[in-house]
Amino acid sequence: MKAIVQDRYGPPETLTLADVDTPVPAADEVLVRVEAAALNAYDWHAMRGDPRMARLAMGRSRPRARIRGRDFAGRVEAVGTNVRQVGPGDAVFGDLGDANGAFAEYVCVPETLVAPKPANLTPQQAAALPLAGVTALMGLCDVGQVERGHHVLINGASGGVGTLAVQLAKVLGATVTGVCSTRNADLVRSLGADHVVDYTRDDFTRDARRHDVVFDLVGNRNLNGLRRVLTPTGTLVLSGGGVYRGGSLIGPVWLITRGQLLAPFVRHRIVTLTTTLSRQHLDTLRAHAEAGRLTPVIDRTYPLHEVPQAIRYLEGEHARAKVVITI
């Protein structure tokens, strides 16, 4: 099969299209013929080994996972002997997690990390949901504990997670403020944001409006500024992926570490979001999508052999919403 492989850390040029063996599903795995795969900030972090501290987990000298990509949608080709919830021919979507491998014609994935594709979404839209959707869902519901009547600010509202978070926050009954650039303001409003702050003109950390939850998806502000716009008992959720700025030792981890150190000593809740995907999360996203409450926004699509160009576009802060690979 064809796949995008990488044998050393580096820029997009280190990614190559190659012939590799088609995987064989284990007893609890599903073999999926991939129709679409989505890019996430995770992909360029893994590609570059950035921040360098993350290489302790990803592989010191080269990535442990040779094939890039996490999110996918496609059709089941075969299943292991213990698989019960999906079968050959089923349309599915899912997330391979740190194992990677979605930028390929076929993937093997544990049954627990795959679910039936939302019936009303294309494979490209479905592929855009898993990691970004679960991040938004966990940030707002599990961690942020957003309730009807809450005021929520989303820093990075036009990104892959942000566009889904705006929609989910409205589903939860919140008043939503989205922070984005001038060119993305109309998009964020169209997704349901009640207020839009153009960060090229205004500094939202100086705004008089206070929020019950601030969901930071960028990591470009300091803790004092983020806390300044919270209500006295508000919650700050940190999940900044950032963009590539020439490499770093710890990247957004510094903001997250400072948040963890400060959290026990302040009234605000400061929580670092750790995304853990499950079949239940995928089922929740499917339910919202099929009810028309959640629609992934796709910026651009690229064919499999143009994954390097797609990642370069994503990591340079040009992309809005999701970038998807068609296979």
Side-chain angles (χ1 to χ4, degrees):
M1 70 171 186
K2 299 290 186 182
I4 296 293
V5 302
Q6 179 184 21
D7 293 313
R8 63 182 177 87
Y9 291 121
E13 289 74 21
T14 60
L15 304 176
T16 59
L17 184 66
D19 289 307
V20 299
D21 293 336
T22 301
V24 177
D28 61 349
E29 290 183 333
V30 178
L31 176 67
V32 178
R33 171 69 171 91
V34 180
E35 297 176 321
L39 270 63
N40 297 282
Y42 172 92
D43 296 311
W44 72 256
H45 281 289
M47 176 189 73
R48 291 187 178 272
D50 184 76
R52 289 188 294 278
M53 183 178 291
R55 298 185 186 186
L56 296 174
M58 294 187 296
R60 291 195 175 187
S61 60
R62 62 182 181 179
R64 291 194 179 98
R66 189 172 182 235
I67 303 175
R68 298 270 61 79
R70 291 183 54 154
D71 290 346
F72 66 90
R75 289 198 175 269
V76 176
E77 288 282 316
V79 299
T81 55
N82 294 337
V83 173
R84 298 289 182 269
Q85 295 183 306
V86 295
D90 289 350
V92 295
F93 74 126
D95 178 358
L96 291 161
D98 293 341
N100 287 269
F103 299 155
E105 293 177 321
Y106 293 90
V107 297
C108 274
V109 58
E111 182 185 19
T112 55
L113 299 181
V114 68
K117 180 183 76 68
N120 59 331
L121 297 187
T122 66
Q124 291 77 22
Q125 290 174 311
L129 263 183
L131 180 57
V134 171
T135 301
L137 195 64
M138 293 187 67
L140 294 170
C141 299
D142 300 359
V143 176
Q145 300 174 7
V146 174
E147 300 176 357
R148 182 168 297 279
H150 274 179
H151 289 256
V152 175
L153 181 140
I154 299 168
N155 184 26
S158 62
V161 178
T163 50
L164 297 173
V166 169
Q167 296 176 70
L168 285 172
K170 292 304 297 180
V171 169
L172 295 170
T175 297
V176 179
T177 297
V179 181
C180 62
S181 64
T182 307
R183 76 184 186 103
N184 295 324
D186 288 342
L187 168 64
V188 173
R189 288 192 188 95
S190 74
L191 296 174
D194 301 280
H195 311 283
V196 174
V197 177
D198 179 352
Y199 69 76
T200 69
R201 299 177 179 177
D202 300 300
D203 181 354
F204 74 88
T205 66
R206 301 291 178 180
D207 196 281
R209 192 179 293 116
R210 297 292 178 263
H211 307 274
D212 300 285
V213 176
V214 170
F215 195 3
D216 180 37
L217 298 167
V218 185
N220 63 347
R221 301 289 179 174
N222 61 46
L223 283 176
N224 289 338
L226 293 170
R227 291 178 55 219
R228 191 180 298 121
V229 294
L230 284 170
T231 61
T233 57
T235 297
L236 171 60
V237 182
L238 298 173
S239 182
V243 295
Y244 183 66
R245 301 191 186 282
S248 63
L249 177 62
I250 59 175
V253 175
W254 174 236
L255 176 66
I256 290 170
T257 301
R258 289 189 63 199
Q260 292 172 334
L261 292 173
L262 182 63
F265 305 103
V266 297
R267 190 175 181 183
H268 294 137
R269 288 181 67 232
I270 303 176
V271 186
T272 299
L273 179 61
T274 301
T275 302
T276 305
L277 184 120
S278 69
R279 173 67 180 264
Q280 182 179 358
H281 286 124
L282 293 174
D283 287 339
T284 299
L285 293 172
R286 184 180 73 250
H288 283 310
E290 291 183 341
R293 297 186 292 263
L294 187 65
T295 303
V297 179
I298 297 176
D299 180 3
R300 293 187 181 186
T301 61
Y302 292 80
L304 181 61
H305 69 275
E306 291 185 0
V307 165
Q309 294 93 311
I311 291 188
R312 185 171 296 284
Y313 175 71
L314 176 70
E315 71 174 354
E317 204 172 10
H318 300 297
R320 62 178 183 172
K322 296 296 292 186
V323 176
V324 174
I325 306 302
T326 56
I327 301 171

